[in-house]
């Protein structure tokens, strides 16, 4: 008898390349989670087509149709509950979630951000990195809290910032690492390999045998 898989709800607003990385990972029989529902606040988001192609429930809850954030989130939570979602993964979801939303999934809402947090939270992180002249950039998967990209960090991956980089080229290099890192971090979270210690986390990659995968390309062994 196969082990029970955690049920993920993935919230999206755009193209959904990180959603695709999760769909590809969850298609593997030994992956400990499945995507139970994909929900977008943007009716035209291509991520919805990715979900449908994978045979995954795809739903639209357009925030523009609600008079308040509370009403919008209530509708989102209703869809997630109907799909039996246990963990929420934000994947390019361009809406901030409230503290009330987070209470429904305590310690079970994850996000991926294109910087090495706590540096450069919020929008246009890659542009911020270039403007500050950093030599190393990257991405972070973290638990979501009531702040903006301030939750406890699960995993990070670094990439070099090259002398001729612009926002597009740096974003593409970071995105390749996002596609690797997000499925790994979700695996670690849902299998209990991550424990919270206040604002920090402890990761036991031995639980899933992913210790090597936590290193960025070129990182020392």
């Amino acid at each position: 008898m196969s082990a029970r898989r955690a049920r993920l709800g993935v919230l999206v607003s755009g193209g959904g390349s990180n959603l695709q990385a999760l769909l590809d990972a969850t298609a593997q029989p030994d992956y400990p989670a499945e995507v139970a529902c994909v929900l977008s606040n943007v009716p035209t988001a291509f991520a919805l087509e990715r979900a449908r192609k994978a045979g995954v429930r795809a739903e639209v809850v357009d925030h523009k149709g609600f008079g308040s954030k509370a009403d919008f989130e209530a509708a989102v939570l209703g869809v997630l509950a109907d799909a039996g979602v246990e963990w929420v993964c934000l994947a390019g979801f361009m809406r901030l979630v409230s503290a009330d939303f987070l209470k429904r999934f305590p310690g079970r809402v994850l996000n991926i951000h294109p910087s090495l947090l706590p540096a450069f939270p919020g929008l246009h992180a890659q542009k911020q990195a270039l403007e500050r002249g950093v030599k190393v950039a990257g991405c972070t998967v973290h638990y979501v809290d009531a702040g903006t990209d301030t939750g406890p960090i699960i995993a990070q991956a670094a990439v070099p910032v090259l002398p001729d980089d612009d926002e597009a080229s740096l974003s593409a290099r970071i995105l390749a690492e996002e596609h690797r890192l997000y499925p790994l971090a979700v695996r670690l979270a849902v299998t209990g390999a991550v424990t919270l210690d206040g604002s920090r986390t402890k990761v036991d990659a031995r639980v899933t045998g992913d210790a090597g995968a936590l290193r960025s390309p070129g990182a020392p062994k």
Side-chain angles (χ1 to χ4, degrees):
M1 184 175 178
S2 60
R4 184 182 176 280
R5 305 172 83 194
R7 293 177 65 81
L8 310 178
V10 185
L11 305 189
V12 296
S13 296
S17 67
N18 272 309
L19 164 64
Q20 189 64 58
L22 292 173
L23 290 170
D24 292 345
T26 56
Q28 302 304 310
D30 63 342
Y31 195 80
E34 61 182 324
V35 179
C37 179
V38 172
L39 185 149
S40 177
N41 66 307
V42 179
T44 58
F46 183 68
L48 295 166
E49 292 303 314
R50 295 181 187 271
R52 294 179 186 124
K53 184 177 180 180
V56 171
R57 177 175 176 176
E59 299 282 353
V60 175
V61 179
D62 190 343
H63 64 280
K64 295 179 181 178
F66 295 87
S68 69
K69 181 173 184 175
D71 289 343
F72 165 67
E73 289 193 341
V76 171
L77 288 167
V79 173
L80 298 179
D82 185 64
V85 166
E86 300 164 307
W87 290 77
V88 176
C89 297
L90 308 183
F93 186 60
M94 303 306 290
R95 308 293 297 177
L96 295 176
V97 296
S98 70
D100 287 339
F101 182 100
L102 295 174
K103 288 177 183 176
R104 295 286 294 271
F105 296 95
R108 289 180 282 120
V109 182
L110 309 180
N111 183 48
I112 188 159
H113 182 75
S115 80
L116 294 175
L117 293 172
F120 314 125
L123 298 175
H124 309 297
Q126 304 93 327
K127 182 180 180 182
Q128 293 181 61
L130 290 169
E131 288 175 344
R132 292 299 300 271
V134 301
K135 307 308 179 188
V136 178
C139 54
T140 303
V141 180
H142 63 96
Y143 290 104
V144 178
D145 63 11
T148 301
D149 301 320
T150 55
I153 291 168
I154 299 171
Q156 294 181 302
V159 302
V161 179
L162 304 180
D164 58 348
D165 264 335
D166 57 17
E167 189 174 356
S169 61
L170 179 58
S171 297
R173 193 175 308 112
I174 293 172
L175 191 60
E177 285 302 296
E178 292 180 41
H179 296 164
R180 180 187 69 87
L181 193 69
Y182 210 0
L184 169 61
V186 170
R187 175 190 287 272
L188 293 171
V190 303
T191 55
V194 185
T195 55
L196 281 167
D197 182 12
S199 61
R200 303 179 65 181
T201 65
K202 295 179 180 179
V203 179
D204 185 358
R206 294 172 298 176
V207 173
T208 58
D210 282 317
L214 283 169
R215 301 189 187 98
S216 297
K221 297 182 179 180

